[in-house]
Amino acid sequence: MKPMSLFIILSSRLLFAHDGPHTHSHDDEHSHTIPVATNFNNEVKITIDERYRYIESNGIPDHKPGRFPNRGNPNSIQPQRHRYRVPLNPTKAANTVSAMRQPFGVALNGVPFDPGTAEFWRGDRRSGWNYEALSGKINLGLDRHQAHVQPDGSYHYHGIPAGLLQRLAAKHDDKQMLLVGYAADGFPIYGPMAHQDAENPDSPLVKMTPSYRLKPGSRRSGPGGRYDGTFGKDFEYVEGVGTLDESNGRHGVTPEYPDGTYYYVLTDTFPFIPRSYQGTPDKSFERQGPPPGGRGRPPFGRRPPPGQGPPPGGRRPPRL
């Protein structure tokens, strides 16, 4: 069964699909248009069928973004044609998969979550010394939602989206976990507060903590100097240091999944957005465009047809 194609526009209020495997039907569809402080409105449509959840949007946030261009970011927000697909009933894979070469997932408002940057020490991607967007060591022009804009006009989050959390929190009391989006492998993404006892929905909400810490001592290669959080490689995973696993997630009950599920968590310290998947990411999240001018990404992982791919030589504008 294909997802329903009827597009319903709801103005001046927010309506998102918070359905889990116990609450959805094959006829579910949620769409909305919300005015924000840009020249464009937020538009997102979420549909499901027996196997997948489809998230299509123009990439415009449902909250007031920062000012773009700005001193650290020369790009202007432009509407996109984001089309993502995630498994409706995801399963864990045998091994974790890196999420550093593609968007990790997509928020309920249709804006991508992207943990990586295109900035490397001395511009050498092969070195592996990738600058951290939220390190404070480089100015990427992030707004208060920890987001900024790519050269093609695509707005994307590098950390916790303050405006989205505020919108969602206004709809719920302070005892409910906040679903903020879906990872490319289909598992849900939540805000930083979760139940202290992961399997007990009546236990209090507490802030989740990553199991990463700065490495001790100094870098023996690359830029040298002490490990200070400038680069992703400055951190190491230490099991049990925090409440979350190496993918910044855990298994537990949530409002949308009362029988329990694996879920990811956004945190206010490294890794901020998870850097690996516990499941298998859908191909619709692979970087395949759009070319300069924002013509949009091809449907659900298909290669762009001739004339719609990157310019000659395979070069794309740098990703921030």
Side-chain angles (χ1 to χ4, degrees):
M1 179 184 297
K2 295 183 179 180
M4 296 180 63
S5 59
L6 176 65
F7 189 87
I8 303 173
I9 296 179
L10 304 178
S11 62
S12 74
R13 68 189 182 97
L14 189 61
L15 183 59
F16 284 125
H18 283 196
D19 52 283
H22 305 284
T23 60
H24 73 265
S25 72
H26 297 304
D27 295 328
D28 283 349
E29 173 161 344
H30 300 276
S31 309
H32 64 83
T33 297
I34 297 178
V36 296
T38 69
N39 294 326
F40 313 103
N41 290 335
N42 164 261
E43 296 178 3
V44 61
K45 179 173 66 173
I46 301 177
T47 57
I48 62 173
D49 61 18
E50 294 99 331
R51 298 179 59 194
Y52 295 103
R53 176 177 282 107
Y54 303 85
I55 303 170
E56 303 179 53
S57 79
N58 66 352
I60 302 298
D62 60 333
H63 53 72
K64 182 179 179 180
R67 183 182 299 275
F68 296 97
N70 59 41
R71 180 173 297 179
N73 189 289
N75 307 312
S76 299
I77 297 176
Q78 296 293 327
Q80 306 295 306
R81 292 175 58 197
H82 294 316
R83 301 189 66 191
Y84 297 113
R85 180 185 72 180
V86 301
L88 192 62
N89 297 297
T91 58
K92 282 193 173 185
N95 300 296
T96 60
V97 178
S98 173
M100 291 302 291
R101 295 188 177 183
Q102 63 184 54
F104 175 76
V106 58
L108 295 176
N109 62 6
V111 175
F113 290 111
D114 199 341
T117 72
E119 285 70 34
F120 286 79
W121 177 68
R122 292 185 174 177
D124 184 4
R125 182 177 295 271
R126 294 172 299 178
S127 73
W129 292 99
N130 191 194
Y131 283 96
E132 274 297 306
L134 302 181
S135 67
K137 306 297 182 179
I138 53 175
N139 182 9
L140 297 181
L142 299 171
D143 63 15
R144 77 178 188 92
H145 312 287
Q146 300 185 357
H148 64 176
V149 185
Q150 291 178 347
D152 67 354
S154 176
Y155 185 81
H156 59 286
Y157 298 123
H158 278 289
I160 297 173
L164 176 58
L165 280 184
Q166 289 172 355
R167 279 190 173 276
L168 296 175
K171 298 170 59 181
H172 305 287
D173 59 35
D174 59 2
K175 296 182 180 180
Q176 180 165 325
M177 294 173 59
L178 296 179
L179 174 71
V180 298
Y182 294 95
D185 61 5
F187 287 113
I189 307 170
Y190 283 84
M193 305 296 289
H195 294 293
Q196 187 173 48
D197 180 347
E199 304 298 336
N200 181 2
D202 295 322
S203 68
L205 296 183
V206 296
K207 182 181 289 188
M208 294 289 99
T209 55
S211 293
Y212 286 84
R213 68 183 182 189
L214 281 175
K215 296 176 182 177
S218 299
R219 308 180 189 102
R220 298 181 179 181
S221 64
R226 294 189 62 83
Y227 294 113
D228 62 0
T230 300
F231 304 93
K233 290 176 67 173
D234 287 352
F235 297 89
E236 62 182 356
Y237 172 70
V238 181
E239 185 176 0
V241 166
T243 55
L244 302 173
D245 64 17
E246 62 182 318
S247 297
N248 232 39
R250 66 175 187 166
H251 187 280
V253 296
T254 75
E256 293 76 24
Y257 299 86
D259 291 337
T261 183
Y262 181 84
Y263 61 88
Y264 299 103
V265 178
L266 303 180
T267 53
D268 57 10
T269 57
F270 185 90
F272 308 105
I273 293 173
R275 308 301 171 100
S276 64
Y277 298 108
Q278 290 284 321
T280 303
D282 190 83
K283 292 182 180 297
S284 62
F285 286 80
E286 293 178 357
R287 297 196 191 282
Q288 303 175 62
R295 294 185 63 178
R297 62 185 300 114
F300 310 125
R302 294 207 301 264
R303 295 293 178 184
Q308 296 187 20
R315 296 180 62 85
R316 292 186 175 92
R319 179 173 59 86
L320 298 175

